[in-house]
Amino acid sequence: MITLCLGMVSALSQSVSQSKPESNVPAPRRIVIAAGTVLDGKGGVLHHTRIVVEGAKIVAIDPKAGPVDYDLHASTVMPGWIDAHVHITWSFGADGKNAGPAGTTQEAAYASASNAWLTLMAGFTTVQSVGSPTDVPLRDAIARGALPGPRILTAVETIMGRGEKTGTPDEIRAFVRKQKDAGADLIKIYASGGMTRGPMTLSQEQLNAACDEARKQGLRSLVHAYRDAVRAATLAGCTEIEHGLGASDDDLKLMADHGTYLDPQAGLLLETYLQNKERYLAAPYYTEEGFAAMKDLIPAHQEFLRRAAHIPGLKIVYGTDAVAGAHGRNAEDFIHRVHDCGIDPMAALVSANSLGAQALGMADQIGSIAPGLQADIIALAGDPLHDITAVRRVVFVMKSGTVYKSSAP
Ligand SMILES: [Zn+2]
């Protein structure tokens, strides 16, 4: 067998060198995917076509391409999803309790790697982690191909608003530059407290400094904001508002006018807390009182998303806020968006494809099925436009041309 294999390799290298005598670089591997239905990530639908991948990229959409390597004619094919808001390193510790982001133990490192694998297997090929310094080695290991996981963008350390104690505008600007030096892909800013009450935790002046410095450093700014902080962050020129509960229609219209993205949650986060209550209960953030209020907060978030979806021109991305217990279940918010918020299934999917890519400033790389883009391609058993629960049935995952899952019938 060994002789035969070596013989085949040498025969192959001969034919390569004969056809291309000037180059020793082998041609990138070509993969042809046959698809019955393709959602292109921008709202378009293609039928009975083939996607040609070479190396990490899509090179053609050609119904005549062959030979076929993966036959996905019975599935719905689309670009890999983008989750704009996760906490990829948050996990439950060895004692079963929420360890949050603090862990640097070996268990925490393995848990982070597991979160990344579960997220990728669920069809998410890019996530934005907002953020933790422990994101950085995970991001880099995945980017090197040393671990399976989604492409990770991270905020590294966040700007936690604490009123005047947060620092002067100049100190905040210095903190933004420090994150850039530490490898941040974006800046995350906490500008308000709890979901239902509490004042802004940064002044307008502080917010202006944070978002302006991020822009000057070529980074996007994501602001955790409720109520009046939504308007303040929009006026500060931030890229995206996280959560947003309590914003008025006028605030949302202002966001649409400014081109500010909204990243609301539709149920997965609070459900995860409720399902894992005993593991989360701990002062000061996770209290009995807080858990008692959560049930009512699920419909409040859904009403908010329903209202936001009716604001003309408002760009709503897909972000789950996945914490411990939610990794790998990121697609659940699609189901909430469609079933509980009245969102059109195609719009829900596009929010995690081309629109999500646009919000990351990566629309020329990911989020669509088109020649020249990264070959981030997934397939679902079933048709999510008619039954959104198909998002739970991911049967194929390719990221940058590498197949990580292939279980289509
Ligand atoms: Zn979060």
Side-chain angles (χ1 to χ4, degrees), residues 49-61:
T49 193
R50 291 174 183 180
I51 305 166
V52 185
V53 173
E54 277 182 17
K57 291 191 174 174
I58 297 167
V59 294
I61 310 292

Side-chain angles (χ1 to χ4, degrees), residues 85-87 90 130 188 190 224 243 321 323:
H85 188 137
V86 303
H87 298 272
W90 292 25
V130 292
K188 172 75 187 294
Y190 287 83
H224 163 112
H243 320 309
D321 209 352
V323 291

Side-chain angles (χ1 to χ4, degrees), residues 20-367:
K20 280 191 174 180
E22 74 283 2
S23 168
N24 288 324
V25 182
R29 194 177 162 222
R30 186 172 183 272
I31 296 175
V32 177
I33 298 169
T37 303
V38 178
L39 309 186
D40 69 0
K42 297 176 174 178
V45 185
L46 303 169
H47 292 288
H48 304 296
T49 193
R50 291 174 183 180
I51 305 166
V52 185
V53 173
E54 277 182 17
K57 291 191 174 174
I58 297 167
V59 294
I61 310 292
D62 176 3
K64 295 198 183 73
V68 172
D69 298 283
Y70 293 94
D71 183 353
L72 302 176
H73 76 272
S75 314
T76 306
V77 174
M78 66 194 72
W81 291 319
I82 299 163
D83 191 329
H85 188 137
V86 303
H87 298 272
I88 197 76
T89 60
W90 292 25
S91 55
F92 297 120
D95 60 357
K97 302 282 275 183
N98 174 40
T104 52
T105 62
Q106 198 166 11
E107 285 85 357
Y110 284 133
S112 298
S114 170
N115 292 344
W117 181 76
L118 291 170
T119 303
L120 181 64
M121 289 301 102
F124 288 80
T125 48
T126 302
V127 299
Q128 190 155 250
S129 193
V130 292
S132 163
T134 55
D135 291 343
V136 175
L138 181 65
R139 174 193 70 185
D140 295 349
I142 292 169
R144 282 197 310 273
L147 278 177
R151 189 179 290 105
I152 294 176
L153 309 179
T154 176
V156 191
E157 280 186 84
T158 62
I159 298 178
M160 187 61 73
R162 291 177 295 132
E164 284 192 359
K165 285 189 205 144
T166 320
T168 64
D170 279 348
E171 285 166 342
I172 289 171
R173 286 178 185 275
F175 187 88
V176 168
R177 292 193 294 272
K178 189 178 148 208
Q179 300 320 308
K180 168 139 186 177
D181 291 345
D185 303 292
L186 63 136
I187 298 298
K188 172 75 187 294
I189 301 153
Y190 287 83
S192 59
M195 280 177 191
T196 53
R197 58 176 180 230
M200 281 174 57
T201 55
L202 287 170
S203 68
Q204 185 72 56
E205 197 189 9
Q206 288 171 317
L207 260 175
N208 292 351
C211 297
D212 181 61
E213 190 63 27
R215 192 168 42 247
K216 283 189 174 140
Q217 298 302 321
L219 299 176
R220 293 166 297 110
S221 48
L222 273 62
V223 181
H224 163 112
Y226 296 109
R227 303 172 295 282
D228 50 350
V230 173
R231 172 166 289 263
T234 304
L235 292 172
C238 78
T239 314
E240 186 174 299
I241 303 282
E242 309 305 301
H243 320 309
L245 196 67
S248 68
D249 281 8
D250 280 348
D251 297 335
L252 295 172
K253 282 177 192 150
L254 187 76
M255 288 179 64
D257 290 346
H258 282 242
T260 313
Y261 294 92
L262 175 65
D263 175 18
Q265 286 69 52
L268 170 66
L269 173 70
L270 292 173
E271 273 182 1
T272 301
Y273 285 146
L274 288 167
Q275 284 161 5
N276 296 279
K277 181 182 166 189
E278 295 309 318
R279 310 177 98 177
Y280 272 101
L281 262 182
Y285 298 116
Y286 301 104
T287 59
E288 284 285 1
E289 185 196 13
F291 274 99
M294 264 180 213
K295 271 204 177 71
D296 295 337
L297 280 173
I298 293 178
H301 278 79
Q302 293 170 345
E303 185 278 330
F304 173 66
L305 181 44
R306 184 183 291 267
R307 186 157 59 83
H310 285 98
I311 302 293
L314 180 60
K315 294 181 285 192
I316 304 177
V317 299
Y318 188 87
T320 62
D321 209 352
V323 291
H327 304 292
R329 299 169 53 232
N330 312 57
E332 292 297 311
D333 260 6
F334 286 123
I335 300 170
H336 285 302
R337 282 190 181 206
V338 172
H339 285 176
D340 304 323
C341 308
I343 308 281
D344 168 64
M346 184 64 97
L349 293 167
V350 168
S351 72
N353 282 153
S354 60
L355 187 64
Q358 193 190 99
L360 301 182
M362 296 176 73
D364 58 344
Q365 299 166 61
I366 59 172

